[in-house]
Amino acid sequence: GRLDEDGVIPAHYPVKELEKGSFKQRTIQNLMDADGTLIIYHHAVEGGTEETLFRCIKLHRPYHLINAAEISPERASERAVGFVRERQITSLNVAGPRASKWPEGYHFAFEVVAGLIEALSESRREASSEFPVKQANPPTNIGERPLFWKYIVFPKAQASEEAVRRANLGIK
């Protein structure tokens, strides 16, 4: 269902609920729905983050590891940009430890993803002044419950604001 470690995910987060599914099945579906996964961790890959890495390897899905203990958010953003460009990622799954395992992880991931979006937006603006790059499910306030974005959608061609919004919400 619409569950995370704190209980039910609030309705204002437009996530698609699996009819039948565990956290493991949700991880697999996220990997299959995305073109690649950015795995952000701190010191060691363990728990659900380790499961995500294992499934990426087993399912032959592209992934990129970021160890926050060894790299700044700015440098991590640069590496994420390289991964997205090299693999021509159009839908990115961002994964990492639960907030209870690494409370600072939300802020680190936020900075990385914000830097990624900014860098890709800048390069797209240089190519076309109307190309939108939008983040899916952004928090409206840093003080909210720490949820990662499920996906970041990067359209391959120019798209209207409405088309990007619909893509980010999973509406066809």
Side-chain angles (χ1 to χ4, degrees), residues 3-41:
L3 298 176
D4 68 6
E5 70 175 325
D6 295 327
V8 177
I9 298 171
H12 66 271
Y13 290 102
V15 296
K16 183 177 178 182
E17 184 176 358
L18 293 176
E19 288 183 28
K20 297 179 184 175
S22 63
F23 288 113
K24 181 171 125 178
Q25 289 167 318
R26 182 168 62 188
T27 295
I28 292 169
Q29 189 64 53
N30 287 345
L31 297 177
M32 298 310 293
D33 287 347
D35 296 324
T37 298
L38 183 65
I39 301 173
I40 301 173
Y41 67 101

Side-chain angles (χ1 to χ4, degrees), residues 7-159:
V8 177
I9 298 171
H12 66 271
Y13 290 102
V15 296
K16 183 177 178 182
E17 184 176 358
L18 293 176
E19 288 183 28
K20 297 179 184 175
S22 63
F23 288 113
K24 181 171 125 178
Q25 289 167 318
R26 182 168 62 188
T27 295
I28 292 169
Q29 189 64 53
N30 287 345
L31 297 177
M32 298 310 293
D33 287 347
D35 296 324
T37 298
L38 183 65
I39 301 173
I40 301 173
Y41 67 101
H42 193 256
H43 289 295
V45 178
E46 56 192 14
T49 307
E50 184 177 27
E51 176 70 20
T52 299
L53 176 58
F54 171 76
R55 294 292 166 189
C56 284
I57 294 167
K58 185 174 181 177
L59 298 169
H60 306 286
R61 304 300 294 167
Y63 66 92
H64 189 77
L65 294 168
I66 301 284
N67 183 351
E70 297 178 355
I71 192 169
S72 70
E74 295 79 17
R75 181 67 184 118
S77 291
E78 292 171 8
R79 290 184 52 200
V81 167
F83 172 63
V84 166
R85 287 183 176 152
E86 179 182 312
R87 294 292 191 142
Q88 298 180 341
I89 302 290
T90 60
S91 180
L92 180 67
N93 180 39
V94 180
R98 297 172 180 258
S100 62
K101 299 284 184 188
W102 181 36
E104 302 82 14
Y106 173 77
H107 297 287
F108 186 91
F110 185 92
E111 288 184 50
V112 171
V113 173
L116 169 65
I117 291 170
E118 182 178 335
L120 293 174
S121 294
E122 285 176 17
S123 65
R124 292 296 186 178
R125 273 194 295 274
E126 291 171 6
S128 169
S129 62
E130 295 185 17
F131 190 88
V133 177
K134 296 292 180 186
Q135 62 192 36
N137 308 335
T140 57
N141 180 330
I142 290 288
E144 286 185 14
R145 292 169 25 154
L147 293 173
F148 286 114
W149 295 273
K150 181 177 178 194
Y151 298 109
I152 305 167
V153 177
F154 307 107
K156 289 183 178 177
Q158 285 189 332

